[in-house]
Amino acid sequence: MSRRRPRPRPTPVTPAVTASSPCPCGLPASYADCCARYHHGPSPAPTAEALMRSRYSAFAVRDRAHLLRTWHPDTRPEGLELDPATRWLRLEVLATTGGSPFHTEGTVAFRAHYAERGDEGVMEEHSRFVRHAGAWVYLDAAGGAV
């Protein structure tokens, strides 16, 4: 993932995400009806984009277990530290290829906006996803930043 140069701005206070909060991924649904069902439910994300959105939301709510569980075992780190000073503000999905319930591979290009220690920034990535053991998992960043 690459980050653009942060712009100095006050860090907004991000309230805790609850079941009835708007989903951090930006879709017009509550967290419970959107990404939380993939974080805590028995059903895997049906598409690469749904998985990418759930992973973004997992960063926003600091769900380390979901991030590691949905990372391909060949590229998954042994551990994952999430900086409590980072607040994820907004997600933009820029493009997708493949990744439907009928595909075995897919990509999602996105832009994630964040605030960190008083600065705002943007992270862009073109992520690759594959099916592993029947479920979509994050593989890696395809060709670097978008």
Side-chain angles (χ1 to χ4, degrees):
M1 294 190 210
S2 67
R3 293 184 178 182
R4 289 185 182 172
R5 188 177 185 154
R7 292 173 276 151
R9 292 194 183 164
T11 302
V13 175
T14 305
V17 176
T18 66
S20 60
S21 296
C23 192
C25 82
L27 290 178
S30 69
Y31 174 61
D33 292 334
C34 197
C35 291
R37 62 188 164 155
Y38 306 129
H39 294 175
H40 309 296
S43 300
T47 65
E49 181 180 341
L51 178 62
M52 192 283 308
R53 287 180 176 279
S54 78
R55 287 176 56 82
Y56 171 85
S57 291
F59 276 102
V61 301
R62 294 181 181 81
D63 186 343
R64 188 177 297 116
H66 178 73
L67 292 165
L68 292 171
R69 184 175 57 253
T70 59
W71 209 314
H72 194 282
D74 290 347
T75 57
R76 178 176 48 226
E78 291 201 19
L80 181 63
E81 293 301 319
L82 301 176
D83 187 345
T86 302
R87 300 281 181 247
W88 295 97
L89 306 174
R90 182 169 56 95
L91 175 67
E92 295 175 76
V93 174
L94 305 173
T96 63
T97 61
S100 79
F102 305 105
H103 291 102
T104 58
E105 298 179 358
T107 66
V108 180
F110 66 92
R111 193 175 290 137
H113 299 260
Y114 66 93
E116 190 172 76
R117 295 177 181 83
D119 295 328
E120 284 190 13
V122 176
M123 183 201 77
E124 294 183 356
E125 184 173 297
H126 193 141
S127 297
R128 291 192 311 160
F129 297 87
V130 296
R131 294 254 188 199
H132 179 74
W136 284 108
V137 293
Y138 170 76
L139 182 62
D140 60 17
V146 289

